[in-house]
C-alpha cells in the first residue's frame, strides 16, 4: 500500500514538472498555423520549412449522405477522378503523377469528404494545375468505369479472405441499423450496377459548384503562390457554401438484452468479435474527452484493462482494443478483437466482466493515473506528422470547434475523475444496449445459443 | 527574422539539370555516432521542434539465426521482451511507457529484431535504463511464457493461415529459399511454437542479446552530450558477448544462403480467394550490391505503380486480365528474391496467366526499359527518401537501417549515388539475366484448386 501511494505521488509530481514545458512547446508549433482567405475560400496554412515537400488537403462539406438514389456514388466519383479527362487518358494521368512522385487520394465519410495530396515543392505549380484540370474536366470514360466496377466487384468478393475487415464492415452496419449512418460510404455489391458515367459527372459538378471547400496546405511561404491556380484553374470560390446538415432525432434503445449476431464464413478457424453501439448526439456532445479517457482505460494500450484481462492474463487473443468517439452528429463505441473458436464464450465473459470493473470503478488509482498521463503526454505526437496535424484541424473545423481545443486538451483531461470514467462506461457500455457480433464458422451457432436465445445468423454475403 | 525552429537537416538541395534531369540529393544529417567499448553502436540526431523523441534498438538477430526445432524463437522472444526484466519487472515496462505518454512496439524480420519507443522528452533517462535492463536481464516468467505462446499462435493464424496472401508468401519463401536459413516464416512453424521451451528461448536470448550485437538510434528533442553520458552509465557496464561473435561467424557463412530452390515448376494452394492470387518468382540479389540496386530499379520500372509496363499491359486496358500486378525485389542481408505478384480478375485457372507472363519475357527488356521510365522510377525513389524523414521515428528507422545493414548511417548517400548512376543499358543487361523462362517458379492460391499443396513439375 505504501508503495502504491508513493508511486501515485511520484506520478503526480512527474506530471506537474513534465507537462508545463511540454504544453508550451506544443503550443509553439501551433503558431505556425495561419488562416487566409482566397476569394472567399478559407485556407489554413501550416508553415513548414523542413523538407522540400508540400501537402494539401481539400475539405468538402458533404459526403456519402448526398448519395440518395445511387449509394456509393460519391466515393466512386472521387476515386475515379484521375481515370480520364477531356484531354488525357488514365494512362497519361497515372504516368504524369508517378513521374512527379506525386501521391493523392480521397477520404469519404457520411457527412464530409476530403482529397489529400503531396508532392515535391519544385513541382508544386504543375501538379496542382494538373490536379485542378482533373477536378474540372474528369470525364469518367465508359471503359474505365466498366473496369473499375469489375475490380470493385472482385474487391467485395475477396473480403472473405480478410475476416477482420469483413467483421468491422458487418458490425458497423448491424450496430447502426436504423440510423442515417449505417450504410457503407462506398455502397454495397448490389449498388455497383447503378453507377453510371452521367451520375458521376453530375456528382462532380455538384461538389465543384455547390459544396463548401476549405483548403489546408503545408510547406514554406512559396506555396502561397498557388492561390491563383486554385481560384482560376479549379474554379473554386467562397460562393460554393453548401454544408451537409443532418436532422435525426436519435436511436432508441428499447431492448432489455444485448443483440447477438453471428455472421458465418466458411472454413473460418478464428472468431472475430465486435461489441459496441451507436451513440446519439446527446451522448457525445461535449463528452469527447471523457469518451477518449474511458475507452483508453478500457482498451487503449498494453496497460488497458482488456489487454491485461484478455491477452496478458489469459492469452486469448493477439490484439484487443476499445474506442468511443464522436463525429459531428453521432458517435460510435466498440471493442475489437478475435480469438480461437473454442474460446468465444470465455472471451465474451471476460469482456463483460471487464466492463463491470469499469462501471464499478474497480480499476486502480494507478491505472487511472497511467491513462491520464498517457493521454496528456502523447498529445504532442498529433502535431509531429503534417498529415496528422492537418487531419486534426480538418476535424475541428468540420465539427465547428476552435483550434483552442488543442490548448485546452490537457486541462480538460486533467479535470476528469474516476467517477466520470465509471459513469461514462456505464452509459456507453450498458450491456443491454450492445450489439455483439461474431464472425466465424457456422458451428459457432450452437455455442452462441447458450448465451443468447435470440441469436440472429447471417451469411457474410449479406454484408458485401 | 531568424526562424526559431531548429532545422532538422542542414542542407537539402534538389538540382534538376535540363539535359540529364539528374536529381542530386545533398542531405547532410547532423548525427553523432559513437561505439562504446563493449561494442554498442549509438547514433543521436537532435530535432528540437517538439518535446518528443524516438528510440530504436536494432538487434542483429532474426529468423535466419534460428536452428531446427526453434523456428520463430526471435519473434517469440520479441513478445517476451515486454514481459519484465530484473529492474523493471512484469507490467512495469508498458506501465512506464504509457504512463509517460509514449508508445512502444517491436518487429522481427529474417535479419533483425527492432524495438522502438516514441516518447515525451522527459522520459529519456527512464527509457535508457529500461532498454539497458532488458538487454541482459530478461526474466521469462513461466506463466507469462505460456500465455504468450497462445498469443503468438493466434498471431500466426492472422498473418498466414487466414490470409491467402500470407500463405502464398510463406510458401514462396519456403520454396525459393529451400534448405537455407530464409526458407520459412519469421513467426515460425506451428509445432515449433507449441513445443519450444523456456530454456531454449532463454539460451537464445543469452546468445544474441548483447551490446555488441545492437545499434541504438535516438532522434528528437535530446541533448547529445547528456544523452551519451547517460547511455554510457547504463549500457557501459554491460558485457559484450564473445560467444555470439563466434556463432554469427558460422551463421553468416555465405554458403548457407546459396539458392537451392527448384525452379521451372508450379505450386498450387487451395485457399479462400475467389480468383487466383499468384507469384512468379526467381532468384534475387542480397542487399547492398550494385547488382541489387540495378535489379531494384528493374523491378520498379517493370511493375511499380499504375503506369508501369506490366500494369499497362494487363490491368489498364480494354480487356484486363488482372485486377493488379506489381513487381518487387525483396532484398535480405544474405540473399534476395525477385517476384511478380498479382490478382487475376477472372475465375480461370492461372495457367493462362503464367504462360502469358512467360511469353512476355521475350520482349520485356526491350519494351519496358525506357529513359523516361527510369527517370520516373528514380523520382519516386527520391520521394521515398524524403518521405522517410518526416518524423523522428522515420528518421530513426532511416539512419538505423543504413547503420544496421551497411555499418554506416551515411550510406544513404552512396546508395542514392549508386541508383542515380545506373543507366538504362545496365538495367537492360540485368533484365536479360533475370527474365529467363526456365528460372521461374509459379505459385498460386485459389478456392478452385484441389486441397493441400499441389506441386507440379
Amino acid at each position: 500500500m505504501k508503495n502504491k501511494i508513493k508511486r501515485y505521488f511520484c506520478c503526480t509530481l512527474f506530471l506537474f514538472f513534465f507537462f508545463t514545458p511540454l504544453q508550451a512547446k506544443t503550443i509553439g508549433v501551433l503558431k505556425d498555423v495561419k488562416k487566409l482567405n482566397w476569394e472567399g475560400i478559407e485556407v489554413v496554412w501550416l508553415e513548414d520549412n523542413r523538407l522540400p515537400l508540400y501537402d494539401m488537403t481539400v475539405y468538402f462539406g458533404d459526403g456519402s449522405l448526398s448519395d440518395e438514389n445511387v449509394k456509393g456514388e460519391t466515393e466512386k466519383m472521387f476515386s475515379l477522378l484521375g481515370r480520364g479527362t477531356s484531354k488525357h487518358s488514365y494512362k497519361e494521368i497515372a504516368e504524369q503523377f508517378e513521374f512527379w512522385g506525386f501521391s493523392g487520394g480521397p477520404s469519404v465519410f457520411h457527412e464530409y469528404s476530403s482529397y489529400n495530396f503531396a508532392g515535391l515543392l519544385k513541382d508544386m505549380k504543375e501538379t496542382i494545375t494538373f490536379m485542378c484540370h482533373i477536378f474540372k474536366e474528369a470525364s469518367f470514360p465508359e471503359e474505365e468505369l466498366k473496369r473499375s466496377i469489375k475490380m470493385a466487384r472482385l474487391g467485395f468478393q475477396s473480403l472473405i479472405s480478410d475476416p477482420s475487415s469483413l467483421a468491422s464492415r458487418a458490425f458497423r452496419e448491424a450496430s447502426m441499423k436504423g440510423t442515417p449512418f449505417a450504410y457503407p460510404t462506398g455502397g454495397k455489391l448490389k449498388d455497383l450496377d447503378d453507377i453510371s458515367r452521367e451520375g458521376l459527372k453530375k456528382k462532380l459538378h455538384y461538389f465543384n459548384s455547390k459544396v463548401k471547400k476549405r483548403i489546408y496546405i503545408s510547406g514554406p511561404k512559396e506555396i502561397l503562390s498557388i492561390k491563383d491556380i486554385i481560384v482560376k484553374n479549379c474554379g473554386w470560390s467562397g460562393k460554393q457554401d453548401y454544408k451537409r446538415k443532418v436532422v435525426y432525432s436519435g436511436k432508441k434503445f428499447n431492448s432489455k438484452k444485448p443483440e447477438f449476431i453471428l455472421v458465418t464464413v466458411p472454413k473460418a478457424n478464428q472468431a472475430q468479435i465486435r461489441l459496441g453501439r451507436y451513440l446519439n448526439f446527446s451522448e457525445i456532445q461535449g463528452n469527447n474527452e471523457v469518451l477518449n479517457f474511458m475507452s483508453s482505460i478500457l482498451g487503449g494500450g498494453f496497460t488497458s484493462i482488456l489487454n491485461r484481462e484478455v491477452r496478458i492474463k489469459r492469452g486469448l487473443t493477439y490484439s484487443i482494443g476499445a474506442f468511443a468517439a464522436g463525429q459531428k452528429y453521432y458517435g460510435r463505441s466498440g471493442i475489437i478483437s478475435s480469438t480461437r473458436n473454442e474460446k468465444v464464450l470465455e472471451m465474451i465473459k471476460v469482456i463483460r466482466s471487464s466492463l463491470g470493473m469499469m462501471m464499478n470503478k474497480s480499476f486502480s488509482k494507478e491505472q487511472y493515473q497511467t491513462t491520464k498521463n498517457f493521454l496528456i503526454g502523447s498529445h504532442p505526437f498529433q502535431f509531429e506528422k503534417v498529415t496528422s496535424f492537418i487531419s486534426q484541424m480538418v476535424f475541428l473545423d468540420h465539427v465547428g470547434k476552435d483550434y483552442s481545443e488543442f490548448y485546452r486538451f490537457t486541462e480538460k483531461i486533467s479535470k476528469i475523475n474516476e467517477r466520470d470514467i465509471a459513469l461514462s462506461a456505464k452509459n456507453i457500455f450498458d450491456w443491454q444496449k450492445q450489439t455483439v457480433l461474431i464472425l466465424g464458422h457456422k458451428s459457432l451457432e450452437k455455442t452462441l445459443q447458450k448465451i443468447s436465445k435470440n441469436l440472429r445468423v447471417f451469411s457474410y454475403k449479406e454484408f458485401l | 527574422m531568424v526562424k526559431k525552429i531548429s532545422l532538422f537537416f542542414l542542407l537539402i538541395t534538389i538540382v534538376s539539370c535540363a539535359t540529364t534531369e539528374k536529381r542530386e540529393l545533398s542531405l547532410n544529417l547532423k548525427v553523432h555516432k559513437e561505439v562504446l567499448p563493449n561494442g554498442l553502436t549509438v547514433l543521436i540526431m537532435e530535432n528540437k521542434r517538439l518535446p518528443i523523441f524516438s528510440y530504436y534498438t536494432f538487434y542483429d538477430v532474426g529468423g535466419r539465426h534460428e536452428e531446427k526445432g526453434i523456428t520463430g524463437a526471435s519473434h517469440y522472444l520479441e513478445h517476451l521482451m515486454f514481459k519484465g526484466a530484473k529492474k523493471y519487472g512484469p507490467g512495469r515496462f508498458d506501465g512506464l511507457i504509457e504512463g509517460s505518454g509514449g508508445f512502444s512496439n517491436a518487429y522481427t524480420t529474417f535479419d533483425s529484431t527492432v524495438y522502438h519507443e516514441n516518447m515525451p522528452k522527459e522520459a529519456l533517462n527512464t527509457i535508457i535504463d529500461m532498454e539497458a535492463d532488458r538487454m541482459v536481464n530478461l526474466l521469462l516468467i513461466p506463466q507469462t511464457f505460456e500465455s504468450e505462446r497462445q498469443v503468438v499462435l493466434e498471431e500466426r493464424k492472422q498473418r498466414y493461415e487466414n490470409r491467402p496472401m500470407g500463405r502464398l508468401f510463406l510458401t514462396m519463401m519456403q520454396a525459393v529459399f529451400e534448405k537455407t536459413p530464409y526458407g520459412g516464416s519469421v513467426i515460425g512453424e506451428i509445432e515449433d511454437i507449441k513445443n519450444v521451451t523456456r530454456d531454449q528461448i532463454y539460451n537464445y536470448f543469452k546468445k544474441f542479446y548483447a551490446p555488441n550485437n545492437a545499434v541504438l538510434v535516438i532522434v528528437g528533442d535530446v541533448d547529445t552530450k547528456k544523452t551519451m553520458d547517460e547511455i554510457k552509465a547504463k549500457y557501459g557496464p554491460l558485457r559484450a558477448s564473445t560467444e555470439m561473435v563466434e556463432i554469427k561467424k558460422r551463421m553468416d557463412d555465405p554458403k548457407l544462403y546459396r539458392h537451392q530452390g527448384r525452379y521451372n515448376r508450379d505450386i498450387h494452394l487451395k485457399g479462400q480467394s475467389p480468383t487466383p492470387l499468384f507469384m512468379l518468382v526467381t532468384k534475387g540479389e542480397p542487399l547492398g550490391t550494385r547488382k541489387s540496386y540495378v535489379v531494384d530499379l528493374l523491378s520498379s520500372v517493370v511493375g511499380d505503380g499504375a503506369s508501369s509496363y506490366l500494369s499497362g499491359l494487363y490491368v489498364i486496358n480494354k480487356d484486363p486480365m488482372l485486377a493488379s500486378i506489381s513487381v518487387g525485389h525483396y532484398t535480405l542481408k544474405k540473399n534476395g528474391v525477385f517476384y511478380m505478384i498479382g490478382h487475376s480478375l477472372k475465375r480461370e485457372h492461372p495457367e493462362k496467366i503464367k504462360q502469358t507472363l512467360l511469353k512476355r519475357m521475350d520482349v520485356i527488356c526491350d519494351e519496358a526499359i525506357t529513359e523516361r521510365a527510369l527517370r520516373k522510377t528514380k523520382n519516386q525513389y527520391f520521394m521515398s527518401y524524403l518521405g522517410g524523414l518526416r518524423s523522428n521515428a522515420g528518421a530513426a528507422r532511416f539512419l538505423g537501417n543504413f547503420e544496421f545493414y551497411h555499418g554506416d548511417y551515411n550510406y544513404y548517400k552512396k546508395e542514392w549515388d549508386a541508383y542515380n548512376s545506373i543507366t538504362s543499358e545496365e538495367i537492360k543487361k540485368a533484365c536479360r539475366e533475370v527474365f529467363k523462362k526456365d528460372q521461374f517458379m509459379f505459385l498460386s492460391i485459389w478456392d478452385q484448386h484441389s486441397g493441400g499443396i499441389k506441386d507440379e513439375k
Side-chain angles (χ1 to χ4, degrees):
Chain A
M1 187 64 193
K2 213 174 179 182
N3 270 343
K4 254 189 179 175
I5 293 169
K6 195 173 151 194
R7 209 178 289 165
Y8 174 63
F9 183 63
C10 285
C11 274
T12 311
L13 269 184
F14 175 67
L15 259 182
F16 180 79
F17 289 115
F18 176 20
F19 293 121
T20 310
L22 183 151
Q23 201 178 359
K25 205 155 189 178
T26 304
I27 288 166
V29 175
L30 288 170
K31 283 179 185 156
D32 297 329
V33 176
K34 289 157 191 89
K35 289 201 171 184
L36 311 165
N37 185 309
W38 290 353
E39 307 294 328
I41 305 174
E42 294 169 43
V43 175
V44 180
W45 170 41
L46 170 60
E47 188 172 1
D48 188 344
N49 296 294
R50 291 171 295 164
L51 289 165
L53 300 169
Y54 75 90
D55 285 85
M56 184 164 163
T57 294
V58 184
Y59 163 90
F60 296 89
D62 203 355
S64 68
L65 288 176
S66 67
D67 300 340
E68 284 167 13
N69 299 320
V70 183
K71 300 290 182 194
E73 196 174 46
T74 299
E75 202 166 293
K76 263 282 165 287
M77 181 275 288
F78 275 117
S79 66
L80 297 182
L81 274 177
R83 294 300 174 97
T85 68
S86 49
K87 281 185 190 165
H88 301 287
S89 68
Y90 175 31
K91 268 187 188 176
E92 288 166 348
I93 293 170
E95 160 71 23
Q96 189 55 59
F97 276 146
E98 289 178 4
F99 188 83
W100 279 320
F102 173 90
S103 58
S107 302
V108 175
F109 304 94
H110 285 86
E111 316 157 14
Y112 72 101
S113 314
S114 67
Y115 205 98
N116 318 300
F117 33 98
L120 278 173
L121 204 58
K122 74 170 199 62
D123 300 327
M124 168 188 74
K125 285 192 179 171
E126 289 97 323
T127 49
I128 293 175
T129 303
F130 201 55
M131 207 59 224
C132 283
H133 165 71
I134 286 168
F135 263 99
K136 234 180 161 180
E137 305 284 338
S139 58
F140 309 102
E142 203 63 60
E143 190 183 298
E144 291 301 331
L145 182 60
K146 258 190 204 165
R147 189 172 58 237
S148 138
I149 286 174
K150 226 183 221 181
M151 291 189 186
R153 195 163 275 132
L154 176 62
F156 279 121
Q157 286 157 352
S158 299
L159 272 172
I160 190 174
S161 58
D162 184 358
S164 179
S165 300
L166 190 52
S168 293
R169 182 179 171 87
F171 174 65
R172 182 182 173 102
E173 194 178 334
S175 63
M176 300 184 76
K177 200 176 174 188
T179 77
F181 310 100
Y183 210 80
T185 53
K188 299 178 86 168
L189 188 55
K190 66 180 167 66
D191 301 314
L192 290 174
D193 293 336
D194 298 330
I195 303 284
S196 71
R197 192 179 174 205
E198 283 315 306
L200 295 176
K201 279 184 178 174
K202 275 186 194 163
K203 181 65 79 174
L204 175 60
H205 181 70
Y206 164 72
F207 271 83
N208 270 332
S209 62
K210 297 267 185 332
V211 177
K212 182 181 174 66
K213 285 119 197 140
R214 196 180 296 109
I215 292 172
Y216 300 81
I217 45 176
S218 82
K221 198 171 184 178
E222 59 191 282
I223 197 172
L224 300 181
S225 64
I226 62 165
K227 176 183 170 181
D228 281 353
I229 301 172
I230 295 290
V231 174
K232 288 180 191 158
N233 296 43
C234 280
W236 294 335
S237 78
K239 287 177 192 160
Q240 300 135 10
D241 61 356
Y242 177 76
K243 271 183 87 176
R244 171 68 48 183
K245 287 186 181 69
V246 180
V247 181
Y248 176 60
S249 57
K251 186 171 175 168
K252 291 186 173 64
F253 294 90
N254 297 325
S255 168
K256 289 182 178 170
K257 285 177 184 168
E259 180 186 30
F260 275 84
I261 294 170
L262 171 66
V263 178
T264 59
V265 177
K267 292 173 191 166
N269 67 352
Q270 205 175 27
Q272 293 288 331
I273 296 176
R274 304 288 183 274
L275 182 153
R277 71 178 179 91
Y278 175 89
L279 306 178
N280 283 315
F281 180 69
S282 58
E283 296 176 290
I284 59 160
Q285 195 183 17
N287 272 344
N288 254 336
E289 287 76 15
V290 179
L291 293 176
N292 187 0
F293 204 149
M294 181 272 291
S295 58
S296 295
I297 287 198
L298 178 64
F302 289 114
T303 56
S304 66
I305 290 176
L306 285 172
N307 246 291
R308 193 186 62 217
E309 296 298 319
V310 175
R311 179 176 160 156
I312 298 168
K313 277 192 189 167
R314 297 173 177 86
L316 288 172
T317 187
Y318 170 54
S319 70
I320 187 159
F323 66 90
Q327 290 280 330
K328 188 171 183 177
Y329 297 103
Y330 74 100
R332 292 183 70 205
S333 60
I335 293 171
I336 300 172
S337 193
S338 63
T339 192
R340 312 191 273 290
N341 285 339
E342 66 276 17
K343 294 287 180 183
V344 168
L345 292 188
E346 184 182 347
M347 183 86 158
I348 293 170
K349 201 175 155 190
V350 178
I351 290 174
R352 193 174 177 185
S353 70
S354 302
L355 290 173
M357 286 166 71
M358 291 285 296
M359 295 170 196
N360 299 327
K361 235 172 42 172
S362 305
F363 47 86
S364 65
K365 194 96 183 160
E366 191 185 345
Q367 184 127 36
Y368 161 79
Q369 197 62 48
T370 297
T371 308
K372 182 182 271 191
N373 292 357
F374 171 74
L375 291 171
I376 297 172
S378 60
H379 190 50
F381 287 100
Q382 296 181 15
F383 307 101
E384 190 189 13
K385 284 187 183 165
V386 168
T387 47
S388 156
F389 198 164
I390 287 179
S391 67
Q392 303 285 329
M393 293 191 285
V394 169
F395 182 75
L396 284 182
D397 285 331
H398 171 67
V399 298
K401 286 189 178 171
D402 194 79
Y403 296 164
S404 63
E405 288 292 314
F406 290 135
Y407 301 81
R408 295 170 56 210
F409 180 81
T410 302
E411 183 197 339
K412 281 185 170 179
I413 291 291
S414 298
K415 283 182 181 165
I416 296 168
N417 60 37
E418 288 106 313
R419 221 177 121 250
D420 300 328
I421 305 284
L423 193 65
S424 174
K426 214 169 198 170
N427 291 333
I428 303 302
F429 285 104
D430 175 359
W431 190 247
Q432 295 176 1
K433 293 180 183 170
Q434 305 304 312
T435 297
V436 184
L437 183 141
I438 311 295
L439 181 134
H441 194 261
K442 63 182 177 190
S443 60
L444 288 170
E445 186 173 349
K446 275 188 183 168
T447 313
L448 290 167
Q449 275 167 347
K450 289 177 192 165
I451 51 169
S452 173
K453 283 179 186 160
N454 300 318
L455 175 73
R456 294 196 297 143
V457 183
F458 299 94
S459 158
Y460 76 96
K461 289 179 183 167
E462 302 266 339
F463 296 97
L464 295 183
Chain B
M1 196 183 92
V2 179
K3 269 207 81 63
K4 282 189 177 173
I5 295 173
S6 69
L7 282 180
F8 201 10
F9 311 111
L10 288 183
L11 179 66
I12 298 163
T13 54
I14 303 169
V15 182
S16 289
C17 305
T19 47
T20 59
E21 277 273 330
K22 190 174 177 181
R23 185 163 281 168
E24 289 175 10
L25 177 78
S26 293
L27 186 65
N28 292 311
L29 307 176
K30 197 181 171 192
V31 179
H32 173 84
K33 177 176 172 178
E34 197 167 334
V35 181
L36 269 50
N38 60 13
L40 178 71
T41 302
V42 183
L43 304 177
I44 300 176
M45 183 164 84
E46 295 185 12
N47 172 25
K48 309 267 184 191
R49 182 172 173 262
L50 281 164
I52 51 178
F53 68 92
S54 292
Y55 194 106
Y56 272 66
T57 313
F58 292 73
Y59 284 98
D60 193 357
V61 61
R64 75 180 173 94
H65 297 99
E66 295 153 2
E67 285 166 343
K68 212 176 169 191
I70 60 159
T71 62
S74 311
H75 172 258
Y76 195 174
L77 181 55
E78 177 229 287
H79 278 231
L80 294 164
M81 285 286 282
F82 292 87
K83 303 298 172 192
K86 195 172 159 188
K87 185 170 178 187
Y88 295 92
R92 288 213 61 205
F93 192 89
D94 291 331
L96 277 163
I97 298 267
E98 292 181 2
S100 309
F103 312 84
S104 72
N105 216 327
Y107 60 87
T108 309
T109 71
F110 278 103
D111 292 318
S112 64
T113 310
V114 183
Y115 300 87
H116 48 95
E117 290 91 27
N118 296 313
M119 302 295 302
K121 64 180 283 190
E122 278 71 13
L124 180 63
N125 288 352
T126 310
I127 295 298
I128 293 172
D129 200 24
M130 284 201 292
E131 283 292 6
D133 183 34
R134 70 174 174 172
M135 183 180 273
V136 292
N137 294 321
L138 193 64
L139 290 179
L140 288 186
I141 296 163
Q143 194 188 341
T144 314
F145 185 84
E146 287 310 319
S147 65
E148 206 57 27
R149 193 196 299 274
Q150 299 308 320
V151 172
V152 173
L153 286 165
E154 283 303 295
E155 183 184 353
R156 195 184 194 282
K157 274 186 204 163
Q158 247 164 266
R159 292 196 190 279
Y160 295 110
E161 283 118 76
N162 292 348
R163 288 183 56 224
M165 192 53 87
R167 279 185 62 207
L168 188 66
F169 184 79
L170 171 58
T171 309
M172 183 275 287
M173 291 299 285
Q174 287 165 336
V176 169
F177 295 110
E178 191 177 358
K179 296 177 190 164
T180 84
Y182 289 136
S185 70
V186 169
I187 207 162
E189 295 304 310
I190 296 175
E191 284 310 305
D192 289 350
I193 301 168
K194 282 181 178 167
N195 296 321
V196 71
T197 65
R198 181 194 171 277
D199 285 350
Q200 284 174 308
I201 293 288
Y202 191 72
N203 289 338
Y204 193 78
F205 167 72
K206 279 291 168 196
K207 248 188 230 175
F208 292 106
Y209 280 68
N212 53 332
N213 203 32
V215 174
L216 168 57
V217 191
I218 305 172
V219 177
D221 191 0
V222 299
D223 177 286
T224 301
K225 190 185 173 309
K226 285 181 190 165
T227 307
M228 272 317 302
D229 288 347
E230 193 65 20
I231 286 170
K232 283 173 188 167
K234 296 290 157 49
Y235 286 92
L238 309 185
R239 282 177 50 196
S241 165
T242 45
E243 184 200 10
M244 184 264 305
V245 175
E246 283 306 309
I247 295 168
K248 280 179 65 180
K249 203 184 273 177
R250 183 167 46 83
M251 294 191 123
D252 283 349
D253 183 352
K255 280 183 211 155
L256 295 172
Y257 299 90
R258 275 184 200 150
H259 279 292
Q260 299 183 58
R262 292 164 289 140
Y263 293 89
N264 202 12
R265 62 174 174 142
D266 297 353
I267 297 176
H268 297 308
L269 307 163
K270 186 176 175 64
Q272 294 270 41
S273 185
T275 62
L277 285 165
F278 66 88
M279 288 182 100
L280 194 57
V281 299
T282 190
K283 294 168 192 171
E285 295 293 317
L287 190 129
T289 62
R290 179 155 183 102
K291 178 95 184 274
S292 92
Y293 295 135
V294 175
V295 178
D296 285 347
L297 287 172
L298 169 66
S299 68
S300 301
V301 166
V302 173
D304 190 4
S307 70
S308 70
Y309 175 75
L310 289 180
S311 181
L313 282 172
Y314 304 119
V315 182
I316 307 179
N317 65 18
K318 278 189 181 171
D319 181 22
M321 177 174 78
L322 305 175
S324 67
I325 185 162
S326 61
V327 182
H329 184 216
Y330 180 26
T331 50
L332 295 144
K333 211 168 187 173
K334 301 287 173 186
N335 213 334
V337 54
F338 182 91
Y339 62 88
M340 297 182 212
I341 187 165
H343 195 176
S344 172
L345 199 52
K346 298 172 183 171
R347 284 182 69 80
E348 285 175 5
H349 195 279
E351 178 63 21
K352 191 179 158 193
I353 296 171
K354 185 185 94 177
Q355 292 306 334
T356 305
L357 290 173
L358 288 176
K359 200 173 167 202
R360 180 57 50 182
M361 289 180 192
D362 293 336
V363 294
I364 199 166
C365 302
D366 293 323
E367 290 184 356
I369 302 153
T370 64
E371 290 302 327
R372 169 134 177 130
L374 179 57
R375 173 49 44 208
K376 178 176 68 179
T377 299
K378 288 180 181 177
N379 288 349
Q380 288 168 343
Y381 281 25
F382 183 81
M383 274 297 283
S384 73
Y385 274 90
L386 295 182
L389 292 165
R390 302 194 85 178
S391 64
N392 289 336
R397 268 197 308 274
F398 183 88
L399 296 170
N401 276 321
F402 283 108
E403 183 66 37
F404 180 83
Y405 285 107
H406 304 284
D408 177 10
Y409 73 86
N410 256 319
Y411 197 84
Y412 63 87
K413 291 176 185 167
K414 288 178 193 159
E415 187 181 271
W416 177 246
D417 285 346
Y419 281 130
N420 229 352
S421 68
I422 291 166
T423 63
S424 55
E425 284 311 310
E426 204 173 348
I427 298 177
K428 277 183 187 171
K429 190 172 165 247
C431 182
R432 289 186 185 105
E433 286 168 22
V434 169
F435 286 110
K436 285 182 179 158
K437 289 179 194 174
D438 59 351
Q439 287 298 306
F440 275 86
M441 193 188 297
F442 185 76
L443 301 100
S444 70
I445 186 163
W446 186 29
D447 61 9
Q448 297 301 305
H449 283 322
S450 51
I453 294 178
K454 200 177 167 199
D455 195 338
E456 292 169 354
K457 288 265 177 190

